[in-house]
Amino acid sequence: MSRSTHKFARLDALASKGKLGSVLVRLMMVVNDMSLAMDGQRRWTEDAGKARAHRERGAKIYFVRLQISHIFEAVKILEEIRGDPDLMRAVDRSGSPMQKAFAALLAFKSTAEFKIMARIRNNLTFHYDPRTIELALASLVAKHPDATGSMSLGDEPHNWFFEAGDMVGDRAAVREIFKVPEGADVAAETDRIVMRLHQIVQMFGGFAGSLIWQNSR
C-alpha cells in the first residue's frame, strides 16, 4: 500500500514571500510534471498488457525523455537560487543533505551527461531537430536498407502508431545523442546513461520537495 503525507500551503503566504514564493511555485510545477512522467513510465512498464504491448518500448522512452527535459529546465531555477543571496538563505537554512544535493545538482550542469540532457530536450522531446533526424534516418537505412515500419490508425489513441518514427527516434537517441559506438552493447550503454540521468531526476525531486515543504507554511 502506498503512503503519503499531506499538509496545506496558503497561496497568500506563498505570494507574501516574493521571489521565494515564485521559486517555490515553479518548483512545485516541475515536481508535478516530473511525477506524472515518472508515473507514466511505471504504468507503461507494469500495466501495458497485450493491447498496448506494441507501444510499450516507445512509451517508456518517451516518459524518460520527459523527465530528463523537465529537469533540464529546472536547473535554471537552481541557478536562479544560487545567484540571489535572498533565495540562497532558504537553502542555507535547510539541512546538510539538502545543501549537498543542491551543490551536486549545480555541479552536474558542467558534466557531459548534462549536455546529453540538453540534446534530448532540444532535439527529441520538445522539438524535432531536422538534422538529428536526417542523420539518424540515413544511418539506419545504411545499416538496414530493407527495414520497414508498421503503421496503424484506430479508435484508441495508442493505436495511432507509426513504427518508423520510433525506429528513427531510437537511432537518433542511441547514435546521435548518446553517441553509443557501433559494435557496443546498445542496451547496456543506454541503460547506464539513462539510469544515471534518472538518479539526477530523483535527486532533484528530493531537494525540491524538501525545500517546498520546509518553506510553505
Side-chain angles (χ1 to χ4, degrees):
M1 180 181 295
S2 63
R3 297 180 180 179
S4 58
T5 304
H6 301 270
K7 71 175 185 177
F8 294 91
R10 290 182 59 98
L11 296 187
D12 61 344
L14 289 170
S16 71
K17 297 179 184 292
K19 293 180 293 185
L20 179 59
S22 171
V23 164
L24 294 175
V25 169
R26 281 179 281 143
L27 289 175
M28 290 177 184
M29 295 170 71
V30 173
V31 172
N32 288 348
D33 290 342
M34 182 182 69
S35 64
L36 286 176
M38 293 178 75
D39 185 67
Q41 179 194 8
R42 180 179 64 82
R43 289 182 182 276
W44 270 95
T45 300
E46 297 175 358
D47 306 330
K50 291 183 179 179
R52 300 186 177 208
H54 64 299
R55 301 299 306 273
E56 181 180 356
R57 174 176 166 76
K60 288 190 290 187
I61 293 173
Y62 169 72
F63 284 115
V64 168
R65 292 201 325 247
L66 271 185
Q67 293 173 49
I68 289 170
S69 299
H70 288 313
I71 298 307
F72 174 79
E73 292 298 313
V75 168
K76 299 174 185 177
I77 303 176
L78 302 185
E79 292 183 311
E80 180 182 345
I81 294 172
R82 179 177 59 182
D84 190 308
D86 294 334
L87 296 175
M88 273 302 300
R89 277 194 279 273
V91 177
D92 294 337
R93 290 193 301 266
S94 63
S96 177
M98 278 182 60
Q99 294 172 11
K100 289 180 179 178
F102 181 73
L105 288 164
L106 287 172
F108 177 72
K109 190 174 186 297
S110 301
T111 67
E113 290 163 327
F114 184 79
K115 294 179 182 177
I116 291 175
M117 270 191 171
R119 296 197 69 194
I120 290 173
R121 186 264 185 214
N122 293 334
N123 295 2
L124 283 181
T125 305
F126 295 147
H127 304 96
Y128 303 99
D129 179 61
R131 182 59 176 161
T132 300
I133 299 305
E134 288 166 8
L135 289 171
L137 178 58
S139 174
L140 193 58
V141 169
K143 189 172 180 64
H144 304 285
D146 298 322
T148 62
S150 66
M151 300 188 291
S152 63
L153 302 175
D155 294 335
E156 296 294 331
H158 62 265
N159 285 328
W160 287 66
F161 179 45
F162 298 89
E163 187 181 17
D166 272 7
M167 293 165 68
V168 175
D170 284 354
R171 184 75 180 187
V174 170
R175 303 301 180 196
E176 304 304 322
I177 293 179
F178 291 158
K179 301 296 186 184
V180 176
E182 295 286 354
D185 186 330
V186 171
E189 288 297 311
T190 55
D191 284 351
R192 179 184 63 80
I193 295 169
V194 168
M195 286 306 298
R196 170 61 177 150
L197 297 179
H198 189 63
Q199 290 173 359
I200 297 299
V201 170
Q202 292 179 310
M203 183 187 299
F204 176 86
F207 167 79
S210 296
L211 191 71
I212 293 165
W213 199 266
Q214 292 179 13
N215 290 277
S216 299
R217 296 186 177 90

